[in-house]
Amino acid sequence: MSTATPDSDTKKKMKYIVVTGGVVSGLGKGITISSMGRLLQACGYSVTALKIDPYLNVDAGTMSPFEHGEVFVLEDGGESDLDLGNYERFLGISLTADHNLTTGKVYSRVIAAERRGDYLGKTVQVVPHITNAIQEWMERVAHIPVDPKHPGRVADICLIEVGGTVGDIESSVFLEALRQFQFKVGHDNFCLAFVSLVPYLGEQKTKPTQHGVKDLRSLGLSPSVIFCRSKQPLLEATRDKISNFCHVPPTHVLGVHNVQNVYLVPTLLQEQNLHAILQKQLNLGATSAPELGDWADMARSLEHFEETVVIALIGKYTGLQDSYLSVIKALKHASIAQRLNLELLWVEAAHLEENDSDNDNDKEQYNQAWDKVKRAQGIVVPGGFGDRGFLGKVLTAEYCRTHATPFLGICLGFQAMVVEYGRNICHWEDAHSTELDENTKHPVVMFMPEVDPTTMGGTMRLGGRDTIFMTRPDTITDTTQEEKKTAHLHYSPKHADFSSQLQGLYGSLPKISERHRHRYEVNPQYVPDLEDAGLVFCGRDETGERMEIVELPLDVHPYYVGTQFHPEFKSRPLHPSPPFVGLIQKAHVNKKTETTAE
Ligand code: GLN
């Protein structure tokens, strides 16, 4: 355990570990940093994390998943880079929008201050105004408590990841700010690490690392630790060479080679004594040996699972798998908890449509897509935007509903379930979402009245919000009068004896909080008819007007569940998300024989 927490010792200084990357992006810098954080936690330190993204966008909310991977949604509604998801999952922390610092954010702040007249007539410049604003931002955000288990507790250590690679024009101002920052916070409180690539071309090559470190040093930043990403374990000779040329002891050159699963990386770093190096470097004071405990057991165990569950993911951005990173992680976590390997089948939703304009009605692609849907033991339709592939999602929902295939629809997937039910069971043939057909006569999914239709950035219904499960008012005994008064808002007499599977999976809680990101919602006017026809909206927001969860009763379908919220964002390796747990459980018992498309 750390000898003192900042709340007990206000003089204690925040320790910063800054990680930059060189050579190429996509090195797994985020996983390396998250793993370092996990190892430090295993020593008893509390850890927070900040990501710097040098692009001009204020946040990732307006960026295409095709280009940038998924937009990760934070508790406060921040739309961030997907690395914040890695930090949250590995470290069990809950970050805010401010934990993702972008060029857009820092310039907006400085320009707003200039317009207010805060600079008192001075010329406002990149150095010192932007660089100062960056330093102030880092220090402020490092002190925001992020550990849900210890509300109010400020972390001991702040990890700062600088996105992009050293040498990019965009990142130079951040690197200059960090160069100044190391003196501001003091030598004992600042440690720089560099993540590099060691490619194999007949032998392990060190030149890219040498050049990366040289670039960094020319900017006045000297790494104390170098992480070398490589396919095979780092050879001693390679380590020595990097040490020689890069001015770090060989023990500070750490090999991070490809391992069977990412959860093994903290152990890999522990074996190379990273914790001891950082303790010394940052004068952290000794602690007992790190205890990775359950985490390490989990990481090792998943190499020995015997059974496999087959899940199909019906998406639109299947070309870039990072677009669905949190959904994939959530499926993985739920499978691990049930000691199952996960086989994921990727299905491009548009390929399920007979007249798909994208693929010229390619019969083979169509058959292959349906083969996968039919082979899957369970299906997930994640969130999305826009028309392409929507019909494919509706057809999948219909298939799963009529073939007892366990199904989880998330956000747009949930909306597709409602559209499908409206069309096929309520016989509203043109039932649609107004996002995709403004003029439909049956707008079963509609634009949310309070959303701003003209500005794209940050205007959706975002972040953590409550969902209240339907309860029969007469069964409420031990709650407050207030809850009793509003219970009718979440209750449909039509489904008096309905028992929600999802509520059971959430430990029978009366209310839950999950994260959101949407502009459209189920039209409450259609709810009575949809419920009369058999759908149960068993979870709603506090007004009872906004539908959050839909299910079919267990005697009708083993698992037909949709959520307006995105449960994937709160899934953790050792605490899988309940809707995914339900899907995997039911999928596992859905024994399939190989089928082919008719
Ligand atoms: N496009 C839909 C909406 O805005 C769904 C959004 C999502 O799936 N995240 O409501």
Side-chain angles (χ1 to χ4, degrees):
M1 274 293 144
S2 49
T3 41
T5 58
D7 10 10
S8 66
D9 175 5
T10 46
K11 282 195 259 24
K12 206 176 103 205
K13 285 273 184 17
M14 176 66 63
K15 306 286 180 179
Y16 296 90
I17 303 176
V18 176
V19 187
T20 61
V23 191
V24 287
S25 58
L27 276 178
K29 199 167 27 155
I31 294 292
T32 308
I33 296 169
S34 305
S35 300
M36 168 162 62
R38 186 79 204 187
L39 179 61
L40 288 165
Q41 284 180 331
C43 297
Y45 307 111
S46 61
V47 177
T48 182
L50 164 69
K51 170 91 197 274
I52 292 176
D53 277 308
Y55 45 68
L56 270 166
N57 304 59
V58 170
D59 62 34
T62 53
M63 295 171 104
S64 159
F66 275 129
E67 216 176 284
H68 199 72
E70 110 185 328
V71 176
F72 189 79
V73 180
L74 299 160
E75 200 54 34
D76 68 352
E79 297 172 282
S80 78
D81 181 85
L82 52 77
D83 271 319
L84 274 80
N86 285 327
Y87 306 153
E88 286 204 350
R89 284 186 285 268
F90 268 67
L91 305 176
I93 54 180
S94 183
L95 301 171
T96 70
D98 281 358
H99 287 87
N100 193 184
L101 175 56
T102 63
T103 301
K105 273 184 193 152
V106 74
Y107 272 77
S108 300
R109 175 165 291 210
V110 170
I111 291 168
E114 185 275 331
R115 292 289 82 188
R116 277 197 308 270
D118 292 1
Y119 295 110
L120 305 174
K122 287 255 181 299
T123 307
V124 183
Q125 293 177 298
V126 172
V127 182
H129 298 98
I130 296 288
T131 45
N132 282 351
I134 293 170
Q135 294 178 66
E136 281 157 26
W137 192 295
M138 292 189 297
E139 261 192 307
R140 176 177 60 83
V141 171
H143 288 83
I144 299 174
V146 292
D147 185 351
K149 283 188 247 92
H150 299 280
R153 175 173 163 184
V154 175
D156 304 318
I157 299 166
C158 178
L159 309 175
I160 300 180
E161 173 178 358
V162 187
T165 49
V166 173
D168 295 347
I169 289 178
E170 283 101 337
S171 50
S172 58
V173 60
F174 289 101
L175 294 173
E176 169 58 18
L178 286 162
R179 187 193 65 75
Q180 296 174 17
F181 194 64
Q182 64 189 330
F183 300 111
K184 183 172 178 190
V185 299
H187 184 257
D188 275 0
N189 304 315
F190 185 93
C191 173
L192 184 70
F194 182 67
V195 182
S196 185
L197 175 71
V198 175
Y200 184 83
L201 296 164
E203 58 177 348
Q204 288 185 334
K205 295 286 184 190
T206 63
K207 263 278 149 42
T209 308
Q210 293 181 39
H211 281 292
V213 172
K214 198 167 143 217
D215 287 348
L216 207 49
R217 288 167 69 91
S218 72
L219 299 169
L221 288 161
S222 246
S224 310
V225 179
I226 300 176
F227 295 104
C228 299
R229 289 282 296 114
S230 58
K231 276 216 176 90
Q232 298 298 326
L234 197 68
L235 298 171
E236 278 316 303
T238 319
R239 191 188 304 272
D240 289 344
K241 197 159 177 195
I242 291 175
S243 158
N244 257 339
F245 281 97
C246 299
H247 200 66
V248 292
T251 47
H252 290 211
V253 180
L254 278 77
V256 189
H257 61 275
N258 291 355
V259 282
Q260 292 95 320
N261 70 71
V262 293
Y263 309 114
L264 289 166
V265 180
T267 308
L268 186 65
L269 300 178
Q270 178 182 3
E271 285 162 3
Q272 298 174 77
N273 271 322
L274 176 63
H275 50 289
I277 295 170
L278 295 172
Q279 279 167 343
K280 191 152 175 246
Q281 197 76 27
L282 290 167
N283 204 3
L284 280 163
T287 60
S288 45
E291 254 315 323
L292 281 162
D294 289 355
W295 182 279
D297 294 345
M298 175 271 291
R300 275 191 293 269
S301 76
L302 63 101
E303 295 311 312
H304 307 291
F305 298 160
E306 279 165 13
E307 288 184 74
T308 297
V309 65
V310 182
I311 302 292
L313 185 149
I314 318 296
K316 172 176 170 182
Y317 316 109
T318 52
L320 177 62
Q321 306 200 345
D322 269 0
S323 308
Y324 297 108
L325 190 66
S326 293
V327 172
I328 300 166
K329 295 290 179 197
L331 287 167
K332 187 84 193 151
H333 302 160
S335 309
I336 291 172
Q338 290 164 71
R339 303 191 58 81
L340 294 169
N341 296 309
L342 173 69
E343 182 184 345
L344 202 56
L345 305 175
W346 290 88
V347 181
E348 186 66 37
H351 294 173
L352 297 164
E353 299 168 5
E354 258 187 310
N355 290 315
D356 164 23
S357 51
D358 254 22
N359 66 7
D360 268 349
N361 203 7
D362 181 331
K363 199 71 192 150
E364 203 180 311
Q365 230 168 26
Y366 174 82
N367 285 341
Q368 277 171 3
W370 277 106
D371 269 352
K372 288 187 195 164
V373 168
K374 291 173 184 178
R375 185 160 92 78
Q377 291 171 280
I379 291 198
V380 60
V381 177
F385 296 83
D387 199 26
R388 198 170 57 80
F390 185 72
L391 178 60
K393 295 176 186 179
V394 171
L395 293 170
T396 308
E398 180 186 4
Y399 176 86
C400 292
R401 184 177 58 75
T402 53
H403 288 75
T405 305
F407 181 90
L408 176 62
I410 298 171
C411 206
L412 190 64
F414 158 85
Q415 295 170 2
M417 292 164 82
V418 176
V419 168
E420 188 278 320
Y421 215 78
R423 288 182 189 177
N424 295 325
I425 303 293
C426 301
H427 307 293
W428 307 317
E429 272 160 35
D430 68 338
H432 223 319
S433 162
T434 56
E435 177 182 6
L436 312 167
D437 177 4
E438 262 182 284
N439 304 316
T440 170
K441 282 204 229 44
H442 292 97
V444 291
V445 176
M446 62 169 200
F447 192 72
M448 275 185 291
E450 67 268 39
V451 169
D452 173 353
T454 53
T455 309
M456 291 307 269
T459 57
M460 286 191 250
R461 181 169 176 252
L462 289 164
R465 316 259 177 159
D466 285 348
T467 291
I468 296 154
F469 282 104
M470 175 170 107
T471 321
R472 269 170 64 166
D474 57 311
T475 61
I476 301 181
T477 47
D478 53 353
T479 45
T480 62
Q481 281 305 321
E482 211 39 56
E483 280 173 31
K484 208 163 180 140
K485 259 192 265 162
T486 55
H488 67 281
L489 297 172
H490 310 101
Y491 166 67
S492 355
K494 167 91 192 153
H495 296 292
D497 297 318
F498 176 81
S499 155
S500 160
Q501 279 200 72
L502 207 48
Q503 184 170 22
L505 288 158
Y506 275 102
S508 301
L509 294 170
K511 127 174 142 177
I512 54 166
S513 171
E514 290 280 10
R515 299 185 190 169
H516 295 72
R517 183 170 188 249
H518 64 127
R519 284 195 180 85
Y520 295 81
E521 63 173 331
V522 172
N523 186 340
Q525 282 180 7
Y526 285 89
V527 166
D529 284 346
L530 288 161
E531 288 212 318
D532 281 348
L535 274 188
V536 192
F537 291 98
C538 55
R540 304 182 183 193
D541 78 341
E542 59 288 345
T543 68
E545 287 283 296
R546 183 157 287 145
M547 304 305 126
E548 290 282 1
I549 300 173
V550 75
E551 288 181 34
L552 281 175
L554 200 48
D555 55 350
V556 177
H557 195 286
Y559 195 79
Y560 197 67
V561 172
T563 63
Q564 180 61 74
F565 54 76
H566 290 263
E568 67 270 26
F569 294 130
K570 283 171 73 168
S571 183
R572 304 285 177 262
L574 298 171
H575 297 283
S577 162
F580 289 89
V581 169
L583 177 71
I584 299 290
Q585 268 170 3
K586 289 297 170 78
H588 181 48
V589 294
N590 177 24
K591 296 293 173 208
K592 286 245 164 179
T593 47
E594 293 277 324
T595 44
T596 47
E598 287 119 32

